[in-house]
Amino acid sequence: MSRTVRHLLFILFIGCCSSVSFAQNKKIKPDTISHFKTDADAFLGYDSFGYCYLIKNNVFRKVKGNETFEYKNVSLGNITKVDLQNPLKIVLFYEDFNSVVLLDNQLNKIAEINFSQNNIPIVVTFIGMSTQNQLWVYNSLNQQIGLFDYLKNEYKTVSTPLTETIKYYQTDFNTFYWIDKKNNWFSCDIFGKTTALGKIPDFDTIEIMNTHQYIFSKGNFLFFKDISDTNSTTICEIEILEKTFDKFCYKDQILSIFTAKEITNYKIVTP
């Protein structure tokens, strides 16, 4: 099936299964900034200092030009998740061992936390950096979102139990976002206030920009959506050069596309 046919089928699918409209004439055309070859297994994104973060053979790498830092911990198994919000305090999650490692800006270990040894039973499924020396934690034992103070070794629950399985999650310092298996989008703040943010179209991968904007992929096509204008919820296609890609990352108007062979960076201006 050609890319054009798949594109048309996806537009029809969106029109049938969602209340949003799709404007074929409303497209975002980003400008190519750079691209370079890579043999990494996973591309994780950039920080505000221009460092690129990658994983190769379960080794976490921080790269900028000829400067490279590495961290590996074979005793904890595979890296499940990396949080780069604070490049001075990077979070590496090892789900198989229910553990987290915090790294400084040169990838030296600051702390290692084994949640299985906590006084309050915690089995972590999802995690992210929060404020005031705290980590967002989704505890699968009680299906609740909580905050863990890694200096005081204290844990508190902030949400009520979630009733649906989490399909995707993302965090910032003040908010835990998640999309359930029915594609309903929610947020929970550090005080436990939970807000329903709407329905998400079917997606392969997604990145939440804020409480009303996100970028998502479906069938190797990339789209932007803004739900802040309730009178016009239109999906805009982002026209990239890649026919297929493994992952995309967005930060500070830079859209990075990761394929098996290279990373391409685009400057993108959203409507």
Side-chain angles (χ1 to χ4, degrees), residues 131-186:
T131 59
Q132 299 175 334
N133 302 315
Q134 297 182 115
L135 295 167
W136 285 109
V137 169
Y138 177 77
N139 185 0
S140 61
L141 291 179
N142 58 13
Q143 298 181 314
Q144 290 176 285
I145 299 165
L147 291 167
F148 182 84
D149 189 315
Y150 51 82
L151 292 184
K152 297 179 181 178
N153 200 35
E154 294 178 351
Y155 171 73
K156 63 179 179 181
T157 297
V158 296
S159 79
T160 57
L162 306 190
T163 57
E164 295 287 348
T165 303
I166 293 179
K167 178 179 179 180
Y168 172 82
Y169 83 103
Q170 189 177 316
T171 63
D172 59 34
F173 293 122
N174 298 304
T175 312
F176 186 107
Y177 297 101
W178 76 96
I179 300 168
D180 67 22
K181 65 179 181 180
K182 295 181 179 179
N183 280 9
N184 296 306
W185 178 21
F186 299 92

Side-chain angles (χ1 to χ4, degrees), residues 170 177 207-211 213-215 224-225 250 270:
Q170 189 177 316
Y177 297 101
E207 187 158 330
I208 296 166
M209 301 164 67
N210 48 54
T211 56
Q213 294 178 321
Y214 54 87
I215 296 173
F224 165 81
K225 184 180 177 186
Y250 173 85
T270 55

Side-chain angles (χ1 to χ4, degrees), residues 69-235:
F69 300 95
E70 293 187 349
Y71 176 81
K72 61 180 178 180
N73 192 328
V74 294
S75 65
L76 293 179
N78 293 324
I79 301 169
T80 305
K81 177 76 173 182
V82 178
D83 189 315
L84 301 171
Q85 287 184 84
N86 183 354
L88 304 179
K89 201 169 288 183
I90 299 167
V91 181
L92 268 58
F93 176 41
Y94 297 84
E95 185 176 6
D96 290 344
F97 285 80
N98 202 28
S99 297
V100 157
V101 172
L102 302 181
L103 306 175
D104 66 14
N105 63 331
Q106 295 186 331
L107 304 194
N108 299 307
K109 184 166 68 173
I110 301 171
E112 183 174 327
I113 304 159
N114 185 340
F115 292 100
S116 300
Q117 298 174 353
N118 194 66
N119 293 330
I120 300 174
I122 304 172
V123 175
V124 179
T125 309
F126 310 120
I127 200 162
M129 180 61 73
S130 185
T131 59
Q132 299 175 334
N133 302 315
Q134 297 182 115
L135 295 167
W136 285 109
V137 169
Y138 177 77
N139 185 0
S140 61
L141 291 179
N142 58 13
Q143 298 181 314
Q144 290 176 285
I145 299 165
L147 291 167
F148 182 84
D149 189 315
Y150 51 82
L151 292 184
K152 297 179 181 178
N153 200 35
E154 294 178 351
Y155 171 73
K156 63 179 179 181
T157 297
V158 296
S159 79
T160 57
L162 306 190
T163 57
E164 295 287 348
T165 303
I166 293 179
K167 178 179 179 180
Y168 172 82
Y169 83 103
Q170 189 177 316
T171 63
D172 59 34
F173 293 122
N174 298 304
T175 312
F176 186 107
Y177 297 101
W178 76 96
I179 300 168
D180 67 22
K181 65 179 181 180
K182 295 181 179 179
N183 280 9
N184 296 306
W185 178 21
F186 299 92
S187 68
C188 176
D189 66 19
I190 57 176
F191 304 106
K193 180 184 177 182
T194 299
T195 304
L197 299 174
K199 192 90 168 179
I200 302 286
D202 191 34
F203 62 90
D204 295 328
T205 58
I206 191 167
E207 187 158 330
I208 296 166
M209 301 164 67
N210 48 54
T211 56
H212 58 89
Q213 294 178 321
Y214 54 87
I215 296 173
F216 71 99
S217 69
K218 182 65 179 177
N220 284 310
F221 294 96
L222 206 56
F223 303 93
F224 165 81
K225 184 180 177 186
D226 188 336
I227 64 171
S228 58
D229 183 357
T230 56
N231 295 319
S232 178
T233 51
T234 301
I235 296 174

Side-chain angles (χ1 to χ4, degrees), residues 37-51:
K37 302 292 184 182
T38 180
D39 63 347
D41 299 324
F43 168 67
L44 304 171
Y46 292 90
D47 64 22
S48 54
F49 302 103
Y51 287 93

